[in-house]
Amino acid sequence: MRTQVAIIGGGPSGLLLSQLLHTRGIDSVVLEKHTRDYVLSRIRAGVLEHGFAALMREAGVGERMDREGEIHEGFYIAHDGIKERVDLQGLTGNTVIVYGQTELTRDLYDARERTAGAVIHEAQDVQPHDIASARPYVTYTKDGKAERIDCDYVIGADGFHGVSRKSIPKDKLREFERVYPFGWLGVLSRTKPVSPELVYAKHDRGFALCSLRSQTLSRYYIQVPLSDSVDDWSDEAFFAELKRRLPQDVAEAMITGPSIEKSIAPLRSFVAEPMRYGNLFLAGDAAHIVPPTGARGLNSAASDIHYLYHALVDHYKSGDDRGLEAYSQKALARVWKGQRFSWWMTMLLHRFPEQSEFERKLQDTELAYLFSSPRALGSLAENYVGLPF
Ligand code: FAS
Ligand code: PHB
């Protein structure tokens, strides 16, 4: 088989790029190691910045997001028994959309199917080859049969544990990482969300987050030690601890219900540089990971996809390779700003095991400064709605 762009990874990054390229007549093949149902079973991001939403619309896949997604004009930070609002609309003129990653991935799969896009599921042993040459190719096995795809470019959109980043020679790659000493225990429950807008809570017992997927589907998180497992937490124990970390009025208003999904996600900050090697381009979690505190995970992938899409169109439509040449440097500039914001929100709102009294006072002072300075709050808000591409 031959295609112009071989994309490894059928998550949101790979699927969105494939669909965008299709709108400009550029051929791609997506290789995904799992089934569609398995990919859709993973509960991940919930908040889309306006840049990501615009890309979904540009790809012709924004209709259900705009119909079912919720526009959020602000969110709350709870601390010391109160909650204070970050007025995104008032501070930036922009908003975010609450629309689960599961649903947007479903929309992208459906669009690829509608447009006869080649998404190959259960592609095993995917391996890029000759990525430093002008004639790269990708091999994989499907139903036990060895297959090969010759292409012009390989896009590594296969997430943190994928094969693409590991295909770059170690002496050509620099990795930057910070692992946090706690994780997020997340619960999905078919209940009315406790708050119409997200509530991020800083508490001596640990961080908590009240989010949602719709007005009948709540998404809640509490910070837990890395030594915890999901089995340590009954639904009753989870909700009791969540309520302890929230202001009384929020806790008393909470409607609890059985969890339909419960998982613990570790938190790390990670960046691999460069995001290009030869004709292999990394995008999304394959190149960078953030702690979800700033809702930058999926949104950091948005600018990678935007830059790659335009660079590939310029290459194929006008033979202009400046976008491809500039990709890594341009993508990393915005990726690092998302890293900074996610790290800053995580340091601000979590209880660190070894934290000194001085560091806890600094957290309190940072919050006090934030809500006393429109300029400081404006900085938080412009990062949360998404910095320009
Ligand atoms: P993905 O990891 O989503 O997709 C990569 C795809 O490549 C996967 O489908 C995988 O099966 C496939 N793949 C991997 N190796 C392969 C191989 N060798 N061959 C073929 N296919 C291969 N972000 C937020 O903003 N908020 C959150 O609350 C949040 N929670 C998260 C919880 C977890 C457990 C994880 C892991 C991430 C979370 N994220 C969150 C971040 C998440 O949303 C990512 O940013 C988003 O999935 C990035 O999308 P992709 O870059 O497409 O990577
Ligand atoms: C979510 O709804 O899953 C979510 C929302 C905001 C975050 C992290 C996760 O910062």
Side-chain angles (χ1 to χ4, degrees), residues 271 275 288 300 303-304 331-340:
V271 180
M275 288 174 58
H288 43 77
S300 294
S303 44
D304 298 347
L332 284 166
R334 189 174 185 272
V335 160
W336 274 108
K337 293 188 180 88
Q339 290 284 330
R340 181 207 69 83

Side-chain angles (χ1 to χ4, degrees), residues 271-282:
V271 180
E273 293 188 3
M275 288 174 58
R276 174 188 188 181
Y277 177 74
N279 285 316
L280 169 68
F281 294 81
L282 301 181

Side-chain angles (χ1 to χ4, degrees), residues 216-248:
T216 57
L217 198 55
S218 302
R219 180 67 167 165
Y220 295 119
Y221 297 95
I222 57 172
Q223 169 189 344
V224 293
L226 282 175
S227 52
D228 277 13
S229 81
V230 171
D231 298 339
D232 296 330
W233 287 91
S234 67
D235 289 355
E236 294 68 30
F238 173 83
F239 279 109
E241 184 59 36
L242 174 63
K243 289 180 180 178
R244 288 189 196 102
R245 301 183 186 187
L246 297 169
Q248 190 176 348

